[in-house]
């Protein structure tokens, strides 16, 4: 007979706290998905989560911290996707596949892209949040750097990773709201440009 793993009330309380944090972050992401990022506030998220705005502050000390936690969840998903592509695409054009997936992810989950540009362009963050943002960016750039290093490039892999990241984000910024084209046409155009960039960097 299996003996149940020891669990204390402290463990249960921690699990409950984590579950409530997840509910709040889930609600924040749903709000970000339908409302312009700069117009989202804590009351909107509280209403979506079905709690008071005061309750949110028990789990997140301020609005920036909540936004950052939601953004970091997106970064983790991107990293997981890159790792999966690398594991399942050993002989193909890995860089091209990663760029295509990056564009797809940030097009389908536009709120992550809006959060990223907010933090990088507009947000004045507390030092601890700046460190979290830098760590997330570093993890993503390290994945790209590893791809360049594995490809035996004669260029500096670190510089190449940063240049690629900037180029692909430039495509997303320049064309995601391209006037006069429907959503699919815009997506196809960004994917075409992403493939072109990846091939030039390969």
């Amino acid at each position: 007979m299996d003996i149940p793993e020891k669990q204390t009330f402290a463990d249960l309380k921690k699990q409950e706290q984590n579950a409530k944090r997840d509910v709040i972050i889930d609600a924040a992401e749903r709000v970000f998905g339908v409302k312009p990022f700069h117009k989202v506030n804590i009351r909107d998220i509280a209403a979506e989560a079905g709690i008071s705005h005061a309750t949110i502050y028990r789990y997140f000390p301020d609005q920036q911290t909540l936004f950052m936690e939601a953004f970091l969840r997106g970064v983790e998903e991107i990293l997981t996707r890159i790792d999966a592509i690398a594991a399942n695409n050993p002989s193909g054009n890995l860089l091209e596949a990663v760029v295509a997936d990056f564009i797809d992810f940030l097009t389908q989950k536009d709120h992550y892209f809006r959060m990223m540009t907010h933090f990088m362009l507009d947000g004045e963050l507390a030092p601890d949040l700046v460190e979290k943002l830098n760590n997330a960016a570093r993890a993503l750039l390290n994945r790209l750097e590893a791809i360049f290093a594995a490809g035996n490039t004669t260029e500096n892999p670190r510089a190449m990773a940063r240049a690629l990241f900037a180029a692909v984000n430039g495509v997303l910024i320049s064309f995601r709201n391209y006037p006069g084209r429907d959503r699919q046409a815009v997506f196809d155009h960004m994917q075409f440009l992403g493939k072109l960039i990846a091939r030039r960097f390969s």
Side-chain angles (χ1 to χ4, degrees), residues 68 72 127 129-141:
M68 178 63 75
L72 293 178
L129 297 183
V130 170
E131 185 61 23
K132 283 189 174 184
L133 182 62
N134 286 341
N135 288 339
R138 200 172 298 122
L140 177 55
L141 292 169

Side-chain angles (χ1 to χ4, degrees), residues 15-83:
Q15 290 171 9
E16 182 182 348
Q17 289 174 338
N18 289 338
K20 288 180 178 178
R21 281 173 56 87
D22 285 342
V23 167
I24 293 168
I25 295 173
D26 288 344
E29 289 197 23
R30 289 195 298 274
V31 174
F32 294 147
V34 298
K35 193 171 183 178
F37 181 79
H38 64 282
K39 293 186 177 180
V40 174
N41 58 52
I42 290 293
R43 289 184 183 276
D44 296 327
I45 296 167
E48 178 66 26
I51 58 176
S52 71
H53 72 280
T55 300
I56 291 182
Y57 289 114
R58 295 180 195 164
Y59 299 91
F60 301 95
D62 52 51
Q63 185 165 313
Q64 278 193 345
T65 301
L66 172 55
F67 290 173
M68 178 63 75
E69 289 300 318
F71 173 65
L72 293 178
R73 180 189 282 184
V75 173
E76 283 300 317
E77 188 171 347
I78 291 172
L79 296 176
T80 299
R81 290 166 70 119
I82 291 175
D83 291 342

Side-chain angles (χ1 to χ4, degrees), residues 175-189:
F175 295 102
R176 59 190 282 272
N177 292 320
Y178 200 78
R181 296 190 184 184
D182 63 34
R183 182 178 174 86
Q184 186 61 48
V186 169
F187 176 73
D188 291 343
H189 185 62

Side-chain angles (χ1 to χ4, degrees), residues 97-132:
V98 167
V99 168
D101 191 70
F102 187 75
I103 291 173
D104 179 63
F105 180 81
L106 289 179
T107 301
Q108 300 302 322
K109 299 191 176 183
D110 182 65
H111 58 287
Y112 285 131
F113 181 74
R114 285 186 276 120
M115 278 189 269
M116 181 172 68
T117 54
H118 170 78
F119 287 132
M120 292 182 175
L121 300 177
D122 304 320
E124 292 187 11
L125 297 173
D128 61 319
L129 297 183
V130 170
E131 185 61 23
K132 283 189 174 184

